[in-house]
Amino acid sequence: MPRTPQENERIRQLAKESILKAAMELFIKQGYHATSISDIAEQAGISKGLLYNYFKGKEELLATMVDARVGEMVEVMNQAKTIETPVEQLKHIIEGAIDNVYKKPEVFRFYLHLQTQPEADHELIKYSRFLIEENARQFEFQCEIFEKLGAKEARKRSLYFSSTLQGIMLMICTYPQQFPIQEIKKQIFDEFCNSLSF
Amino acid sequence: MPRTPQENERIRQLAKESILKAAMELFIKQGYHATSISDIAEQAGISKGLLYNYFKGKEELLATMVDARVGEMVEVMNQAKTIETPVEQLKHIIEGAIDNVYKKPEVFRFYLHLQTQPEADHELIKYSRFLIEENARQFEFQCEIFEKLGAKEARKRSLYFSSTLQGIMLMICTYPQQFPIQEIKKQIFDEFCNSLSF
Amino acid sequence: MPRTPQENERIRQLAKESILKAAMELFIKQGYHATSISDIAEQAGISKGLLYNYFKGKEELLATMVDARVGEMVEVMNQAKTIETPVEQLKHIIEGAIDNVYKKPEVFRFYLHLQTQPEADHELIKYSRFLIEENARQFEFQCEIFEKLGAKEARKRSLYFSSTLQGIMLMICTYPQQFPIQEIKKQIFDEFCNSLSF
Amino acid sequence: MPRTPQENERIRQLAKESILKAAMELFIKQGYHATSISDIAEQAGISKGLLYNYFKGKEELLATMVDARVGEMVEVMNQAKTIETPVEQLKHIIEGAIDNVYKKPEVFRFYLHLQTQPEADHELIKYSRFLIEENARQFEFQCEIFEKLGAKEARKRSLYFSSTLQGIMLMICTYPQQFPIQEIKKQIFDEFCNSLSF
DNA sequence: AATGAATGAGGTTTCATTCAT
DNA sequence: AATGAATGAAACCTCATTCAT
C-alpha cells in the first residue's frame, strides 16, 4: 500500500529541510567552496543521490538559503513598519540588527562574505546582488524614518546611519568575543535617536 | 658573459612582480576560487611551469598579496604617526581610508571578502586572520589617538569610530557608483574630530 | 467480492500493454539510452515502482518490444505463404514492406538502429541478433519464392532482391518526406516480378 | 630547456591521433554509449585528465570522427568526378562502396547506426544529420551520372540505384561472413551499367 | 629559466533499481 | 497492486601540481 500523497509531501518537506539545514551549517562553518555535496549528504545522513532528488545541485541549496535570508530580512522590516514613532522604529532596527549579529556572528559573516563576492564570479554574483538589493530596500525604508524624524538632509543622514550600523555589525562578526554591545548601542542611540542631533 | 648574481636576482624580482600583478588582477576581478593557475599564467604571459618556479602554488600568491596589503596598511599607519596633532591624525586616517576605498572599491571589497572567510575554511582562514590582526593593531593606534583627544572612554569611543569608518568603507565598496563621499566625510569629521564631541 | 484470477490476469495484461506502449513511444522517439525509466513511468501515468512490478527493467521492455516486432514479421511472412503464385507472393512482400516503412518510418528506423548495434555492446547485441536472425529466416523464404519463379541462381538473385528491398526501406526511413514510393515500387516490380527477368 | 613549439605541436598531433584512434576503435567495437571516457583513456594509454586536454569531451571525439568520415566520403566523390565516362564513374562508385564496406563492415555499420539515430535524441542527432546530408550530396552527383547516361527519368532511376547500393552495403555489414560480393557486383553492374537497361 | 604535456585526486551529476509503506 | 523516497555505482569533468625536455 502506498503512502498517501500528504504523507509523501511531509516526508519531502522534512527531507528538504534537513538537507538545507545540513548545507547551511556546513556553508556557514566552512564556506561554500570548501563544502562538497558529499559533505552535505553525509551531514544530512542521506545518500548523494537523494540530495539531487530534492535540489538541482549545490547552487540551488545556496539560492534557497539566500531566499530564506532575504525573507527574514523582509519580515523584520515589516515588523518595524508596524511600530508607531520613528524613534522607536529606529531603536527597533538597531536593537534587532545588533542582537541578531551578536547571537550568530558567523551567520551574518557568511552573508557578508557572499555580499562581497567579486563582480566577475559568474557562479555566485547573483546571490550577492540579491542580498545587496534587499539592503538597498531597507535603506529606503530607513530614509523614510529619518524624514519623519525631521532630519534636514534625511538621505545623507540615513546613509551615514546605515554605514555606522553596518560597520558595527561587521565589527561584531569580526571580533565576536570582545564586542561590548551595550556600550556601542548606547553610542548609536545617542547619536541618531536623540532629537537634539538634528 | 653570464649575468651577475645581483642582476639575476633583479630579474627574478621583476618576474615575481609581474606574476603577482596578474594574480591580483584576476583574484580581485573574479575571486580566488574562480581563478585558475592557468588563467594567471596566461594573464602574466608565461607558462604554468614557470609560475611554479616562482611561487609554490596558488595559495602562496594569495599569501604574498596579503603580505603586501598588510605592508601598505602598516605604512599608512606609520605615516599617520608622524603627524603632530591627534585631530590631524584622525583626519588623515579618515581621508586616507575613504579615498582609498573610493578609488578602488573592488580592491577593498576583495580583502573584506577574504576577511569574512568562515572560520573553518582551513585553506584560507590564515589570510583572514592576518588581515583581522592588522586591523586590530590599527585599532590600538586609534585608541591612543582618542586618549590624546581626551575622550572619556577612549577605547569605547574608538571602537565606535572604527565601526563607523569600516561601515562607510563597506558601503562604498558595495554601492561604488552612488556614494557621496564628501557629505559622509563631513559627518564623520563633525562627529569625531570636533572637540565638542567629548 | 474479489476479482476472479482471470479478471486479474486481464488487468495485468492491460497494464503491461500500456507500459509497453509508453516505452515504445519514447524509445522510438528518443532512443533507448536517452529514455529513462522515470520517463516511461511518467508517460504511462504510473509510478516507477509499479513498472518494476510488471517488467524486470528497462531491458525487458526492449526485449518485449523486439519479441512483438518479430511476431509481426512472422505473421506477415505466414500471410504471404498463403498466397498462391510466387509472383503475387513477391508483390505482397514488396508492397507490405514498403507501405509499412512509409507509414511509420521512425519505427523501421528504430529497429534498423537496433540491428546495427555494434557487436560488442553486451547489453543490446542480443536484440540486434534476434532481429537479424528473423531477417535471415525471411530471406530463406524469399529464396524459395525465387526458386519457384525459376531463377537460375535463386539464392543469389534473392540476395540481390533482399538488398534492393532493404535499401529502399533504408532510404524511405532516412528521407521520409521526399520518397516517391509509387515510382520505386514500379521499378522493383519491373525488375523482380517480371518473368522476362530470368 | 623547453621543447620547441614545433616539437610540442608534433606531440599534440600524435596524442590527439592516438586518442582519436582509441576512441574510434572502442566506439566502433562497443558503441558510443557503452564506451566511457575512462575506457578511451585506458585504451590510449593516458590519463583521463589528458584526454580532456585535447578534447572537450566524449561528444567532441564523435564529432571529430564524423568530420573525418565525411571528409573521406567527399574525397571519394571527388575522385569519381575525375573519371571520364559516366559508366566508369558508376562502376567506380559501386566498386568503391562495396569493397569499402566489405573490408570493414563494422565501420560502415557504426556510421549507419549513427545515421539511424532517432530524431529526438538531442545529443547525437546532429551527427546523424551531418551524415545524411553528405549522403544527399552524393545522391545529387549520382543523378548527374544517370543524366549523362541518358536515363529517361534520371532522378528516379538514380534513387532506385542508390537504394540498391545502400541495401547491398547494409546487407554486407549485417552478414559480413556470408556475402558473395562478386556475384552481387555483377548483378548491380548488369542492371545499371549496361546501356541496354535504358 | 622555461615550457606545456601529463597526472590523479577530488568534485559533480545521473539513473537503474530496491524497498518500506 | 501501488507509490516514490532512497540508494549507490558509475559516469563525467576540472584543475592544482609535477616533470621530462
Side-chain angles (χ1 to χ4, degrees), chain A residues 20-132:
Chain A
L20 195 57
K21 185 158 162 282
M24 287 177 67
E25 279 173 25
L26 290 173
F27 285 171
I28 285 167
K29 201 171 79 178
Q30 315 174 351
Y32 180 77
H33 285 110
T35 302
S36 71
I37 289 281
S38 288
D39 291 342
I40 298 170
E42 199 176 341
Q43 173 89 358
I46 57 159
S47 67
K48 270 185 289 184
L50 187 55
L51 193 152
Y52 280 93
N53 210 318
Y54 290 106
F55 294 92
K56 272 212 299 280
K58 205 161 87 160
E59 205 183 314
E60 201 182 63
L61 282 164
L62 182 63
T64 309
M65 269 179 77
V66 172
D67 277 352
R69 173 75 172 182
V70 168
E72 284 172 26
M73 289 168 76
V74 168
E75 181 142 358
V76 168
M77 194 170 67
N78 287 342
Q79 237 177 32
K81 282 181 179 165
T82 66
I83 296 174
E84 298 236 325
T85 74
V87 167
E88 288 306 310
Q89 281 184 325
L90 212 52
K91 280 189 177 169
H92 181 262
I93 287 169
I94 293 169
E95 290 268 5
I98 291 180
D99 291 351
N100 193 305
V101 179
Y102 191 71
K103 267 183 222 144
K104 301 203 174 170
E106 69 287 356
V107 172
F108 179 76
R109 185 165 164 153
F110 175 77
Y111 290 107
L112 185 54
H113 184 67
L114 192 56
Q115 225 177 96
T116 51
Q117 206 70 34
E119 281 289 329
D121 183 324
H122 297 125
E123 190 186 352
L124 299 182
I125 191 61
K126 34 184 175 271
Y127 308 107
S128 170
R129 293 238 177 85
F130 194 19
L131 289 166
I132 288 175

Side-chain angles (χ1 to χ4, degrees), chain C residues 18-19 22 38-48 50:
Chain C
S18 99
I19 294 166
S38 289
D39 291 342
I40 298 169
E42 197 177 344
Q43 174 89 358
I46 58 159
S47 70
K48 271 184 290 183
L50 188 54

Side-chain angles (χ1 to χ4, degrees), chain C residues 109 113 117 157 187 191, chain D residues 109 113 117 160 187 191:
Chain C
R109 185 164 164 154
H113 184 67
Q117 206 69 37
R157 193 62 187 156
Q187 293 192 55
E191 183 169 4
Chain D
R109 185 164 164 154
H113 184 66
Q117 207 69 34
Y160 185 67
Q187 293 191 57
E191 181 165 7

Side-chain angles (χ1 to χ4, degrees), chain B residues 136-169:
Chain B
R137 237 184 319 273
Q138 305 243 347
F139 172 70
E140 292 302 327
F141 172 50
Q142 287 168 18
C143 280
E144 292 170 25
I145 297 177
F146 276 91
E147 276 162 15
K148 283 190 219 142
L149 279 171
K152 272 171 293 184
E153 299 204 273
R155 200 161 191 87
K156 278 154 198 165
R157 192 62 186 155
S158 179
L159 187 56
Y160 185 67
F161 166 75
S162 289
S163 301
T164 302
L165 187 54
Q166 291 277 322
I168 290 167
M169 292 161 82

Side-chain angles (χ1 to χ4, degrees), chain C residues 102 172 175-187, chain D residues 155-156 159:
Chain C
Y102 192 70
I172 294 175
Y175 306 96
Q177 270 85 32
Q178 321 160 19
F179 210 89
I181 52 164
Q182 295 313 330
E183 308 283 346
I184 293 294
K185 274 187 196 171
K186 186 179 177 309
Q187 293 192 55
Chain D
R155 201 164 190 84
K156 277 155 198 165
L159 187 57

